[in-house]
Amino acid sequence: SAIVTVTKDNVKAAIVDSGYIPASSLKNLDSLSASSSSAAPAASGKLEMFSWWTAGGEADGLNGMYAAFKKAYPGVEIVNATVAGGAGTNAKAVMTTRLFGGDPPDSFQVHAGLEVATYTPDKYLQNLDSIFASEGWDKVFPKDLLTLLKYQDHYWSVPVNIHRANVLWYNKTVFADNKLDAPKSFDDFFKVADALKAKGIVPFVFGDKEGWESGHVFETVLIGTLGADGYRGLWTGKTAWTDPKVTDTLNTYKKMLSYINTDHAALTWDGAGEYLLNGKGGMQIMGDWQDGWFTSKKFTNYGWAPAPGNSGIFDALSDSFAMPKGVKNADNAANWIKLAGSKAGQEAFNPKKGSICARTDCDQSLFNAYLQSAGKEWSSNALVPSVVHGAAAYEKWATAYKDTMALFVTTGDVAKTQTALQKNCVDAGVCK
């Protein structure tokens, strides 16, 4: 067989051909590699990276970051420790056990915001203040995001992206064939749903197998009914869960659930999304990781709009990476953290993941039409934090909220659910 000489150029060409890193990002990787090689001997050993990204655009995006890391540190073996489960439903339990049991991975995925409190950061995590300073991240991350990241006056994780939770996705052919437009209001939603139901098409695609999906959709209905300030107030005590508008929200959501597919309990969000792919479903409310999933499926026949009543409001969350204390490969973990916050790392990750950069200096030409639109709205919309995805409330409260809304799909009991939501707030120490 032929002997191939390994050179910088043919390694670079192979990485570009893989599709994981755009050619325009390689300059950033070159500088990252050069700075690391001049500062210290070539890195070696292992890097164990823990996440819940196992399929579709999520896995593709993660592989993009792995390719970027291998370009900069070719002597390091990456151990991909993933645990399947949307929104980290299974991974968080495993992570807590490992962290508190003295067997932490070198770095792990955590939602930016109050979710970090779950891991008792002052005891179990390394604060990243010095890395934030050395990498100049205060100049490239938006101020609101930096505020969200701080807990107990320290940075504990680095954000790799921004997601939008409150998006309505629809099959463009289904809508065009039935002369329908994306609904802007809840009244519009029900008119569209009735029209689709009359044609034998599932109006509102839904999958709640993992338990978090109902709470996800409901937070968009809360936003659409209460507005940005009213929704934010639910998590600070300024808006009462006993408010009549919350009653209205529950009634609206109950009506929306009357249009879902009968097999919803057996499906994850992406399993339910197959209804859109095959033209048997019309609409789905899900975060914009669905854009990455569509891309991974090579499906382009989709449209998007804010969830009903959500125009001008960006329901935000951010995936980030933390570094535990006492990791086995501290230098490699620090290099991973730096890559996650770098321009090269974020450009390798986000176009495939279906998210926008947390940084403000990424090359927008790398992103598809949806992500470019999300980037513009991130900079102009009112921003609210997602509760289901760790930004708005402590994990215990967020979990109680998710469990309450998962039960609502089965019971449809508005009064009992509203009472339970109020109790969740009292138990969290926010409501009286």
Side-chain angles (χ1 to χ4, degrees), residues 31-357:
S31 62
L32 180 64
S33 182
S35 63
S36 64
S37 62
S38 61
S44 60
K46 295 182 179 181
L47 169 72
E48 184 184 5
M49 224 300 295
F50 184 95
S51 79
W52 55 81
W53 291 325
T54 60
E58 297 177 335
D60 290 345
L62 184 59
N63 285 333
M65 282 191 69
Y66 287 163
F69 188 86
K70 290 295 288 184
K71 171 66 173 66
Y73 310 104
V76 177
E77 176 190 352
I78 297 174
V79 179
N80 183 15
T82 58
V83 175
T89 49
N90 302 318
K92 292 175 188 176
V94 175
M95 186 62 232
T96 301
T97 299
R98 289 192 59 180
L99 190 65
F100 296 172
D103 181 33
D106 296 312
S107 183
F108 70 97
Q109 178 185 355
V110 57
H111 286 125
L114 292 176
E115 187 173 291
V116 73
T118 306
Y119 302 107
T120 319
D122 57 332
K123 184 175 182 180
Y124 291 103
L125 303 183
Q126 298 188 41
N127 84 59
L128 305 180
D129 297 351
S130 62
I131 295 180
F132 268 72
S134 67
E135 300 302 302
W137 287 338
D138 61 319
K139 299 178 179 63
V140 293
F141 292 144
K143 288 184 179 179
D144 287 347
L145 181 57
L146 289 168
T147 300
L148 178 70
L149 288 166
K150 273 201 170 181
Y151 177 72
Q152 296 178 339
D153 204 36
H154 293 292
Y155 296 114
W156 303 99
S157 66
V158 55
V160 70
N161 69 354
I162 296 293
H163 268 303
R164 185 176 190 174
N166 56 336
V167 186
L168 181 140
W169 307 93
Y170 60 93
N171 182 297
K172 290 171 69 174
T173 297
V174 168
F175 269 55
D177 289 349
N178 291 280
K179 297 180 174 58
L180 299 171
D181 295 319
K184 296 181 180 179
S185 66
F186 291 111
D187 285 343
D188 291 343
F189 177 91
F190 293 123
K191 288 176 183 177
V192 170
D194 285 334
L196 293 173
K197 185 176 181 179
K199 294 296 181 67
I201 298 168
V202 176
F204 185 37
V205 171
F206 192 76
D208 60 331
K209 181 179 179 179
E210 294 181 330
W212 60 272
E213 302 92 339
S214 177
H216 177 111
V217 176
F218 184 62
E219 74 178 58
T220 75
V221 186
L222 285 167
I223 294 166
T225 307
L226 297 168
D229 288 340
Y231 169 80
R232 290 191 201 102
L234 291 170
W235 313 109
T236 63
K238 291 184 179 180
T239 303
W241 285 95
T242 54
D243 192 292
K245 287 187 177 181
V246 176
T247 312
D248 292 343
T249 305
L250 285 163
N251 282 315
T252 298
Y253 185 43
K254 181 177 181 178
K255 185 175 180 181
M256 292 171 71
L257 291 173
S258 69
Y259 291 95
I260 64 177
N261 41 293
T262 57
D263 61 347
H264 61 90
L267 300 176
T268 56
W269 69 267
D270 50 331
E274 295 287 345
Y275 275 92
L276 297 187
L277 264 62
N278 60 33
K280 294 181 179 180
M283 301 177 285
Q284 183 174 10
I285 292 176
M286 188 44 62
D288 53 14
W289 46 90
Q290 184 139 0
D291 175 75
W293 180 71
F294 284 144
T295 300
S296 74
K297 293 286 187 177
K298 295 180 170 55
F299 179 70
T300 59
N301 192 32
Y302 63 96
W304 62 85
N310 283 235
S311 180
I313 303 173
F314 195 111
D315 186 15
L317 61 136
S318 174
D319 294 300
S320 67
F321 293 105
M323 182 165 64
K325 292 180 179 178
V327 297
K328 297 174 184 175
N329 306 287
D331 289 343
N332 293 337
N335 287 335
W336 172 262
I337 292 294
K338 291 176 182 178
L339 177 75
S342 72
K343 186 172 186 287
Q346 297 204 3
E347 287 181 348
F349 176 78
N350 285 292
K352 290 184 177 294
K353 173 66 162 68
S355 50
I356 59 177
C357 291

Side-chain angles (χ1 to χ4, degrees), residues 352-372:
K352 290 184 177 294
K353 173 66 162 68
S355 50
I356 59 177
C357 291
R359 297 175 64 103
T360 58
D361 58 352
C362 285
D363 180 357
Q364 292 304 305
S365 69
L366 301 174
F367 295 83
N368 66 18
Y370 166 74
L371 293 173
Q372 289 186 27

